[in-house]
Amino acid sequence: MKLPTEIREKDRSLAKRLAASCPPGLRRTLSVVEEAAEGTKLWCGAAAAMAWLGGRRGRKAAAAGLAAAAVAQLLSNGVCKQLADRPRPPEQWFPHDEVDDRPDSSSFPSGHTAAAVAFTAAVAPAWPLAGVLCTAPAATVAVERVQSGAQYPSDVAAGAAIGLASAWLTRRAPHLFLRHWL
């Protein structure tokens, strides 16, 4: 995957700066949240809590969030990563051992960020307070992907865009289906 030179240089510069300037305590916190988000465990747990604690509104928010996260995972990991084949940032840019845990798949786009943003954006209309509470872990996942050396900032931005599109699509799909096919 080729990006324009100016974007590629800014991408590299920001990735290097974020990795070098992150204090060890913050790095550990970022890693804990990312580990919880691995395989969408964090979002499944949040959905279970919403369904259990939130009544009908909680169940609706949980279902919307999980559906959007599933669409985001399909689009980012199942389609875009297969087409892009972008290498991960070079290991020597990162002064810590987290680069050892990186996946071998394409760097572009960030599937973790896509799922986090999709879940949060889909939950917010159904239950605004829960959407606000999901914002911090979603942002943490996005920052961690760059800080750990797993992705470039543009990979995370693309993942966020896919997440927003997935949330919109899962919210609008029933209406679009009914209007166009029935």
Side-chain angles (χ1 to χ4, degrees):
M1 178 178 157
K2 284 295 221 182
L3 291 173
T5 305
E6 186 176 318
I7 293 173
R8 189 172 57 241
E9 291 306 316
K10 288 192 184 298
D11 224 12
R12 291 176 177 182
S13 173
L14 185 56
K16 288 178 184 178
R17 272 189 298 177
L18 186 56
S21 66
C22 190
L26 179 57
R27 188 177 303 129
R28 283 190 295 277
T29 301
L30 292 171
S31 291
V32 166
V33 173
E34 189 278 331
E35 183 63 34
E38 185 73 34
T40 65
K41 293 180 292 209
L42 177 61
W43 312 118
C44 289
M50 285 180 219
W52 183 50
L53 299 171
R56 184 178 189 283
R57 178 170 55 174
R59 289 187 297 277
K60 182 178 178 182
L66 291 175
V71 169
Q73 288 286 327
L74 177 66
L75 290 174
S76 62
N77 296 333
V79 177
C80 295
K81 280 187 185 287
Q82 307 309 312
L83 298 173
D85 195 30
R86 183 181 192 189
R88 302 279 173 176
E91 291 182 18
Q92 59 269 25
W93 290 1
F94 302 92
H96 48 72
D97 62 355
E98 290 182 47
V99 292
D100 299 336
D101 296 337
R102 303 185 312 176
D104 293 329
S105 62
S106 174
S107 180
F108 184 89
S110 170
H112 286 76
T113 304
V117 170
F119 184 86
T120 302
V123 162
W127 193 1
L129 177 60
V132 168
L133 294 174
C134 290
T135 302
T140 302
V141 167
V143 169
E144 190 281 338
R145 299 310 292 164
V146 176
Q147 179 277 319
S148 68
Q151 264 126 3
Y152 291 97
S154 60
D155 301 333
V156 169
I162 289 169
L164 289 172
S166 298
W168 180 87
L169 183 62
T170 55
R171 185 168 176 80
R172 298 292 305 152
H175 304 292
L176 294 172
F177 178 78
L178 291 174
R179 184 172 19 163
H180 294 288
W181 285 291
L182 295 181

